[in-house]
Amino acid sequence: MLKTEINELLTQTGPGTPMGELFRQYWIPALLAEELPENDSPPVRVKLLSERMLAFRDSEGRYGLIDEFCAHRGASLWFGRNEEGGLRCAYHGWKYDVTGQAVEVPSEPENSNFCAHVKLRSYPLVKIGDVLWTHMGAPDERPPLPEFEFAQVEPEQTYISKRWQESNWLQAFEGGIDSSHVSWLHSGGLKSDPLFKGAKGNEYNMNDLRPFFEVADAEGGLFVGARRNAEEDSYYWRITPWVMPSFTLVPPRGDHPVHGHWWIPIDDHNCWAYSFDYHPTRPLTETEVAAMRAGHGVHSENIPGTYRPVANKDNDYLMDREAQRRGEYFSGVKGIAIQDSSLQESMGPIVDRSKERLVSADAGIIKARQKLRKAALALQKDGTVPPGVDPAHHRVRSAAVVLPRDAAFIESSQDALTAEPGKPHASV
Amino acid sequence: MVPILQNSCARATSLEEARYRIDIPIEGRRGARVVALDDGAATLVRRLAREPWNAARFYTLPAQEPGEPGTWLHRTSGSSTPLADELAEGDVVVMIATRNDASAAAVETLGRAAAERGIMTAAVALGRQEGMTNAVRALRPYARVLLVNGEESDVAELLTAIRS
């Protein structure tokens, strides 16, 4: 249960809101690099944190993220021409560079300095891995660039997709640290999904449906450990790191690639779910990449030319009652990603958390909400830099390990939970 | 069957449709039992007991008690009470430790008694994990949910979230 005013604080991310200002402290994914594939490629409309912008890549390969609307009459620059080092409005020909600076106003005299005083709001756009990242906070508070391992390994070791989720970011993110739903909602996938199946850990998962949970503070967020019986003298631990504000890693299974997510608010009723797979020590195989492209694992099959899943709320997520009866999919919905989105969207655009009935097993969610609220209020009150901004906080890993029954999961897994180039991941 | 009304398909997740959700008061939890395992936790529990709660009950461990540690509890009002009586209507036991020497025997008694009755167990270990290893080791087998590296406010947050 959460008071209505705290629910509003955590779910509203527009300009000037406490949580919106918190998100603006971080480098966040703005779009995939594939969306701007070459110099002078068509501009892309981007809405993030309730601000409408336009991303483009100019003739020299520079990326820009600027206000979507022309300063002249407010027409969308999406209709503009991306050419010769800038984006020209289709209406009256005003032209802007990647910083949002007007560089030509054709109606003014040739030697006029009018355009020097016209600048659209803009944010940096930086390619790291297959993601274009932005920082929407104050330029003088811009932190160092992010150092998440999935975006730093060689290109052949990583794959990322994104999908539109029609719900507030918080209920999508909360699914990422809610380990107890996996044995239920995703139980079918553990047996059949090509990116999950075959791991010894899956047996431990399915043989013990009542895990114990431990939640431990981390410098950048939390570690959530789910403990299940393994052998007589050991436990199977699945450890999920959360880096603030909304980055999580799924504990790995066998030698499968490691999955993870970033949830980014589009506005208060929609978010992007960025989902990735990477392997820290080897290239992804063709079979793995084909499975990811087909929407297996944490990925979704999207409507061609869009990032909207084929299975969405307009078609009841292609619910298949026969598959549900057969036990193929616990909910009747195919695919891990859509299993999550179908239930999270069913809660409504912003779930009313004053009506929920949490149990102590939801301690990870309870603690995460508390950390977000405290960080947002501390930022508002005295400018405290929140956890997760420092790139050192990004160098984490998830882990799936079998430990002696008396071992503490954090101390015993310290090395496994730290990202280092070329180090194998800890997985069962 | 193809849905013909908005409320019979997934489009009913709109904000507008949320107006039609059945809205009845939610009954709070009746059976939260909060037990301090050491002196530091006792101070916190006494303070929490003064807050308005739904039906949560707060206890400390008696300094001297008959029988095994944990079989008797001390109410924050001062009187002693058998654990078995207090668990009769319980649905979650929340144990709180602030020191590394929290009574492992009491934890075991509480944990076993809760497990026998099908009562959920949770624990909050306040303080840095490296200084709480013994307490965490004692709690781990009996707390189905364990918050380590906890802060004082975690206890109130947890109790509030589960409608104690």
Side-chain angles (χ1 to χ4, degrees):
Chain A
M1 193 274 280
L2 207 58
K3 289 178 182 164
T4 300
E5 59 268 28
I6 299 176
N7 197 29
E8 288 173 356
L9 183 143
L10 294 179
T11 53
Q12 295 174 357
T13 57
T17 62
M19 190 55 60
E21 293 308 304
L22 186 82
F23 263 98
R24 285 166 173 80
Q25 298 297 301
Y26 300 89
W27 285 96
I28 56 172
L31 65 168
L32 294 177
E34 68 182 23
E35 296 179 70
L36 295 174
E38 57 194 15
N39 297 353
D40 289 335
S41 52
V44 177
R45 295 184 187 99
V46 175
K47 184 155 81 163
L48 291 175
L49 308 179
S50 300
E51 291 187 51
R52 285 183 59 167
M53 297 165 288
L54 203 67
F56 71 105
R57 179 172 167 179
D58 75 6
S59 313
E60 292 170 32
R62 292 174 298 197
Y63 293 102
L65 186 62
I66 64 173
D67 187 337
E68 180 187 337
F69 301 99
C70 182
H72 178 208
R73 298 286 309 280
S76 174
L77 292 167
W78 181 80
F79 295 95
R81 300 172 64 95
N82 185 15
E83 58 190 14
E84 295 169 352
L87 190 62
R88 191 183 292 281
C89 181
Y91 208 179
H92 301 91
W94 290 34
K95 186 174 180 182
Y96 302 91
D97 69 14
V98 290
T99 70
Q101 178 65 53
V103 292
E104 276 185 54
V105 177
S107 59
E108 296 298 300
E110 210 167 311
N111 57 352
S112 163
N113 68 350
F114 175 79
C115 66
H117 303 290
V118 179
K119 189 171 190 301
L120 298 175
R121 171 66 64 90
S122 72
Y123 301 109
L125 197 59
V126 177
K127 182 178 181 297
I128 303 174
D130 296 326
V131 176
L132 298 177
W133 304 76
T134 190
H135 176 264
M136 293 171 65
D140 56 345
E141 293 170 1
R142 192 157 293 151
L145 292 169
E147 296 188 17
F148 294 98
E149 190 175 35
F150 82 90
Q152 294 200 310
V153 293
E154 294 298 318
E156 61 273 17
Q157 290 173 241
T158 189
Y159 175 85
I160 188 164
S161 66
K162 77 173 189 182
R163 66 177 164 80
W164 171 30
Q165 177 154 335
E166 295 176 67
S167 78
N168 182 265
W169 78 278
L170 186 63
Q171 63 213 55
F173 152 69
E174 287 177 347
I177 53 169
D178 167 17
S179 294
S180 59
H181 79 285
V182 176
S183 303
W184 297 97
L185 180 60
H186 304 317
S187 54
L190 296 185
K191 289 176 277 187
S192 62
D193 192 292
L195 296 168
F196 279 43
K197 68 181 182 182
K200 175 68 179 168
N202 297 356
E203 292 174 28
Y204 297 138
N205 240 110
M206 296 312 298
N207 290 341
D208 186 352
L209 297 179
R210 296 186 187 280
F212 282 55
F213 292 101
E214 281 189 32
V215 181
D217 250 316
E219 286 189 349
L222 290 177
F223 286 113
V224 180
R227 185 186 97 203
R228 293 174 172 86
N229 292 318
E231 310 302 332
E232 273 196 6
D233 57 350
S234 59
Y235 289 128
Y236 171 59
W237 285 91
R238 294 184 58 75
I239 307 167
T240 301
W242 164 50
V243 180
M244 286 178 65
S246 59
F247 173 85
T248 64
L249 283 166
V250 180
R253 296 185 183 279
D255 189 47
H256 290 304
V258 185
H259 330 286
H261 303 281
W262 254 110
W263 286 278
I264 302 298
I266 297 172
D267 52 33
D268 294 344
H269 294 171
N270 298 277
C271 66
W272 289 120
Y274 285 87
S275 302
F276 57 83
D277 264 285
Y278 77 102
H279 200 293
T281 59
R282 65 161 172 83
L284 305 179
T285 67
E286 283 181 21
T287 311
E288 286 169 340
V289 174
M292 292 165 198
R293 289 206 171 108
H296 291 289
V298 293
H299 305 280
S300 57
E301 184 186 358
N302 292 339
I303 297 168
T306 78
Y307 293 100
R308 189 178 199 207
V310 169
N312 57 57
K313 69 196 301 188
D314 286 342
N315 53 29
D316 273 329
Y317 307 93
L318 303 174
M319 150 72 80
D320 182 344
R321 292 286 179 196
E322 280 307 312
Q324 189 178 34
R325 282 191 195 96
R326 288 195 303 271
E328 200 172 326
Y329 313 124
F330 189 74
S331 70
V333 170
K334 180 184 171 187
I336 307 287
I338 307 304
Q339 287 159 7
D340 281 329
S341 66
S342 57
L343 294 189
Q344 290 159 4
E345 290 180 4
S346 79
M347 296 153 83
I350 303 179
V351 67
D352 182 353
R353 291 178 173 79
S354 73
K355 302 272 172 58
E356 66 189 2
R357 303 186 74 137
L358 294 188
V359 291
S360 49
D362 296 312
I365 290 172
I366 296 166
K367 182 73 181 171
R369 291 176 184 174
Q370 180 204 43
K371 284 189 78 101
L372 286 166
R373 190 186 82 235
K374 281 187 172 179
L377 295 178
L379 174 68
Q380 186 182 48
K381 185 172 168 234
D382 51 26
T384 304
V385 176
V389 167
D390 183 345
H393 299 168
H394 307 167
R395 298 181 210 121
V396 293
R397 280 190 182 168
S398 57
V401 290
V402 173
L403 297 175
R405 292 208 165 194
D406 62 350
F409 85 93
I410 287 285
E411 288 143 16
S412 306
S413 309
Q414 206 58 259
D415 184 53
L417 295 171
T418 307
E420 279 176 44
K423 184 174 79 177
H425 59 283
S427 182
V428 179
Chain B
M1 186 73 73
V2 177
I4 54 170
L5 285 171
Q6 190 180 43
N7 76 311
S8 62
C9 71
R11 296 298 319 175
T13 57
S14 67
L15 204 59
E16 187 188 353
E17 280 289 319
R19 289 190 299 137
Y20 301 108
R21 289 192 174 197
I22 294 171
D23 188 16
I24 54 170
I26 298 172
E27 197 179 329
R29 184 183 284 269
R30 309 294 305 170
R33 307 290 183 255
V34 185
V35 184
L37 297 174
D38 54 53
D39 291 348
T43 304
L44 171 62
V45 158
R46 287 191 197 98
R47 194 163 63 239
L48 284 172
R50 291 196 288 271
E51 305 282 322
W53 297 102
N54 190 48
R57 298 183 196 168
F58 296 86
Y59 311 93
T60 59
L61 296 176
Q64 292 187 327
E65 56 184 321
E68 295 293 314
T71 52
W72 283 76
L73 300 173
H74 217 69
R75 296 191 184 99
T76 48
S77 60
S79 58
S80 292
T81 177
L83 170 65
D85 288 1
E86 297 305 310
L87 292 189
E89 301 296 325
D91 57 26
V92 62
V93 172
V94 181
M95 297 175 273
I96 302 164
T98 65
R99 285 171 39 172
N100 205 18
D101 59 355
S103 170
V107 170
E108 183 174 350
T109 304
L110 289 161
R112 287 189 186 283
E116 282 165 13
R117 293 163 176 82
I119 296 172
M120 185 69 181
T121 48
V124 184
L126 302 175
R128 302 295 303 170
Q129 176 151 352
E130 52 271 25
M132 295 290 285
T133 49
N134 291 340
V136 168
R137 191 174 296 133
L139 288 163
R140 181 169 291 123
Y142 301 106
R144 296 198 71 91
V145 179
L146 179 54
L147 276 165
V148 292
N149 287 352
E151 306 164 38
E152 278 198 9
S153 58
D154 288 346
V155 182
E157 296 269 354
L158 177 67
L159 295 176
T160 302
I162 63 174
R163 297 177 180 275
S164 297

